[in-house]
Amino acid sequence: MTDRRTRRHDPGRRDRLIDAALEVIAERGVAGTTHREIARVADVPLGSMTYHFSSLDEVLAEAFTRHAAAAADVFDERLGAATDRDSAIEAVIALIRDDLIGSPKDLVMAVELYVAAARNPALRAVTQGWMQRSRTALERHFDPTTARELDALIEGLVLHSVLSTDPMTPDQIRHAVERYLR
């Protein structure tokens, strides 16, 4: 009689795999993200990857969707708390300074997503959804054209901060946002 291994009931495994994918992407980049590495970080058998996901692209899309949703939630929270245009401007400055630039892991994730989305239409859909949510949050206080342009300014400030050897100071970020909005 053979001793059959019982299947472990693990309803949170798929979510853990997505979280592990985010960790791997942040540490190794999209190019270094593999099924094997995600499974290792999640501490699950490699077969779990193919059980829960049809491809690595699906895992990447799920992971980046989760990352983008979390970032959009921060936009919603910051701008939802603003009560007028002046407090909305302060919310945008804090969003850039404290939330978007303040987290090195989130900065890396954003850049990895931008680069991957340039070649992958499914990931471009993720960035489009993220931009739409960001603009919707901004439109609580600014007209749609201003919201779109402001979203681009925010993204540009973030990219300049992560890619520069001499990033903008908080005062320079404030100046840029106020110059555009006031």
Side-chain angles (χ1 to χ4, degrees):
M1 180 175 198
T2 59
D3 182 24
R4 290 184 49 138
R5 207 170 158 182
T6 59
R7 180 176 272 184
R8 189 170 87 181
H9 180 66
D10 188 359
R13 183 172 288 189
R14 188 174 196 284
D15 281 337
R16 271 200 339 277
L17 288 166
I18 294 168
D19 289 339
L22 287 167
E23 287 182 42
V24 173
I25 294 165
E27 182 180 313
R28 297 177 175 239
V30 170
T33 300
T34 64
H35 286 287
R36 185 173 306 282
E37 188 60 15
I38 295 167
R40 184 192 67 75
V41 169
D43 193 27
V44 301
L46 181 57
S48 291
M49 292 299 298
T50 55
Y51 177 79
H52 290 286
F53 304 99
S54 63
S55 67
L56 187 58
D57 280 345
E58 182 184 0
V59 179
L60 293 173
E62 291 277 344
F64 280 127
T65 297
R66 182 171 290 176
H67 170 75
D73 288 346
V74 173
F75 265 74
D76 288 339
E77 184 180 319
R78 288 271 187 196
L79 290 155
T83 57
D84 57 19
R85 185 177 177 90
D86 287 338
S87 62
I89 292 169
E90 290 303 317
V92 169
I93 293 166
L95 175 72
I96 297 166
R97 183 192 62 223
D98 301 336
D99 302 315
L100 300 175
I101 295 174
S103 169
K105 180 181 176 183
D106 286 344
L107 279 174
V108 168
M109 291 300 297
V111 171
E112 286 291 332
L113 174 55
Y114 298 149
V115 171
R119 291 191 168 87
N120 183 326
L123 295 180
R124 199 165 309 122
V126 173
T127 59
Q128 183 61 42
W130 183 4
M131 286 186 287
Q132 187 55 56
R133 277 202 57 200
S134 299
R135 291 176 193 157
T136 298
L138 291 164
E139 286 174 9
R140 291 178 177 168
H141 303 283
F142 309 104
D143 67 84
T145 300
T146 301
R148 184 175 187 157
E149 293 167 353
L150 180 56
D151 190 41
L153 175 65
I154 292 167
E155 294 297 327
L157 290 170
V158 169
L159 281 172
H160 276 247
S161 292
V162 73
L163 300 175
S164 177
T165 58
D166 182 25
M168 292 177 77
T169 67
D171 286 341
Q172 291 169 322
I173 291 168
R174 172 177 291 284
H175 177 75
V177 171
E178 287 181 341
R179 184 175 190 172
Y180 178 72
L181 291 174
R182 294 201 196 269

